[in-house]
Amino acid sequence: MTELKKPSWLKMKLPSGKKTADLRKSLREKNLFTVCEEARCPNLGECWDDGTATIMVMGDVCTRGCRFCAVKTGNPNGWLDHDEPEKVAASTDIEQLRYIVITSVDRDDLPDFGAGHYAKIIKAIKARRPDMLVEALTPDFQGDNDCIHTICDSGLDVFAHNIETVESLHRRVRDVRAKYDQTLHVLAEAKRYRPDLITKSSIMLGLGETDDEMRKTLTDLRKVDVNILTLGQYLQPNKKLLDVVEYVHPDKFDEWGDIAVSEFGFDYCASGPMVRSSYKAAENYILAQKNRLEV
């Protein structure tokens, strides 16, 4: 496939500003590194200024091999850093932070797929700073209800799990163990178990999806009562991974964002070429809460 030329609207802004610099310094002092930095997220400065950071836990080796993701694939053989809950909780001492997103690799090598460790981290954060808003951007735990309940009982504020793409592209884009229906089940079960919990998902555009397929995916997400949606452009991390089929114009992202809220009823939708799953998570949470209270 001929490589597409990146359009002008995909220019990334370099993170800058005193808040960003101060937060980076505080994180280094605590020997903490964020997904925001590791993935060179273009929204780092904007989110950090807003007091939001995303931290990846349970190591950097994933047991899955999705074809859009550059994270290392392998078998961690049950390894976990058992001091990690307290290490991550220490980040709440950073005054600038008001919202933390905890995400992770898939850990199919663990008996509970890492759910218990995930929950310990969230509980440690809440014990240290009860006012900190915590979002868990979780793997699918192979659809295990007990694991989903473990996360829901941890004290988190937002349960996020990404559907990533439309159903017809799932087998090409994601690991064979990451099934479309299984993703919907995870989101549905979290909401069924804790109806008050805000749920969230994300879709990458530019992989070859059609408008009709997008509409079906939005319908499916709303059927399981997902509250917050983020839409962003897929960018190829390296030459070994999936090619970009289309660079979707910002106007189209604006259109999808409006449709998601006005037509499908999402509480909030962040939509744009450079939007990523955890984009301005604190703002998303606050807006969603506000909209729910006004209904």
Side-chain angles (χ1 to χ4, degrees):
M1 180 177 177
T2 304
E3 184 177 354
L4 296 178
K5 183 180 178 180
K6 286 184 180 179
S8 59
W9 64 75
L10 279 176
K11 289 181 180 178
M12 297 186 184
K13 296 178 183 178
L14 292 174
S16 60
K18 187 177 185 305
K19 283 186 178 180
T20 295
D22 288 348
L23 183 52
R24 180 181 280 112
K25 181 174 181 290
S26 297
L27 288 165
R28 289 302 80 77
E29 288 172 351
K30 294 183 180 297
N31 199 32
L32 289 169
F33 293 84
T34 65
V35 175
C36 321
E37 296 166 284
E38 298 295 323
R40 299 177 184 176
C41 179
N43 306 307
L44 182 151
E46 192 174 354
C47 287
W48 281 17
D49 279 352
D50 197 40
T52 296
T54 301
I55 296 174
M56 188 164 78
V57 300
M58 296 198 291
D60 62 356
V61 178
C62 186
T63 53
R64 306 277 175 94
C66 295
R67 285 164 287 283
F68 67 89
C69 179
V71 172
K72 290 183 290 187
T73 299
N75 184 358
N77 294 308
W79 175 88
L80 280 174
D81 178 359
H82 295 288
D83 294 326
E84 191 168 50
E86 290 307 318
K87 288 179 182 177
V88 175
S91 67
T92 64
D93 295 340
I94 300 172
E95 187 178 347
Q96 302 98 306
L97 280 181
R98 63 192 182 103
Y99 194 109
I100 290 182
V101 182
I102 304 299
T103 189
S104 76
V105 292
D106 280 275
R107 292 298 303 268
D108 299 294
D109 60 308
L110 296 171
D112 68 347
F113 315 114
H117 188 77
Y118 228 113
K120 286 178 184 177
I121 291 169
I122 297 168
K123 288 176 180 178
I125 292 171
K126 288 291 190 176
R128 192 153 178 156
R129 189 170 154 190
D131 65 317
M132 178 69 73
L133 298 174
V134 180
E135 174 181 320
L137 175 55
T138 75
D140 61 26
F141 306 117
Q142 295 190 17
D144 185 280
N145 285 353
D146 288 341
C147 294
I148 298 166
H149 300 168
T150 295
I151 302 298
C152 291
D153 288 336
S154 66
L156 81 168
D157 299 285
V158 177
F159 186 107
H161 179 55
N162 291 342
I163 201 156
E164 307 293 9
T165 190
V166 300
E167 187 172 13
S168 68
L169 297 177
H170 237 68
R171 289 296 298 272
R172 184 166 72 87
V173 172
R174 303 185 74 188
D175 185 282
V176 67
R177 288 163 288 183
K179 300 175 179 67
Y180 184 86
D181 288 344
Q182 184 165 274
T183 292
L184 291 173
H185 167 75
V186 171
L187 292 162
E189 183 59 24
K191 182 69 79 172
R192 185 202 67 78
Y193 186 70
R194 265 198 59 190
D196 62 316
L197 192 62
I198 285 182
T199 53
K200 177 180 173 184
S201 197
S202 183
I203 305 172
M204 299 177 290
L205 276 65
L207 286 162
E209 67 286 337
T210 67
D211 285 0
D212 285 345
E213 288 173 328
M214 276 292 293
R215 284 181 169 276
K216 180 184 182 300
T217 305
L218 298 189
T219 298
D220 290 341
L221 290 172
R222 285 301 296 138
K223 280 181 179 177
V224 296
D225 201 17
V226 168
N227 305 105
I228 293 174
L229 178 69
T230 62
L231 305 173
Q233 171 70 51
Y234 166 69
L235 297 174
Q236 185 184 37
N238 62 52
K239 300 294 184 183
K240 295 179 180 179
L241 297 173
L242 287 172
D243 292 319
V244 176
V245 175
E246 176 190 7
Y247 288 113
V248 179
H249 194 276
D251 290 348
K252 186 69 171 179
F253 275 103
D254 289 344
E255 183 182 342
W256 277 122
D258 290 341
I259 288 171
V261 174
S262 63
E263 185 176 331
F264 287 89
F266 288 93
D267 290 333
Y268 182 78
C269 178
S271 182
M274 304 312 295
V275 167
R276 294 298 175 260
S277 177
S278 301
Y279 175 72
K280 296 186 78 173
E283 180 180 282
N284 293 355
Y285 175 84
I286 292 164
L287 283 171
Q289 284 285 67
K290 180 176 179 292
N291 290 343
R292 292 174 89 190
L293 290 172
E294 290 176 349
V295 172

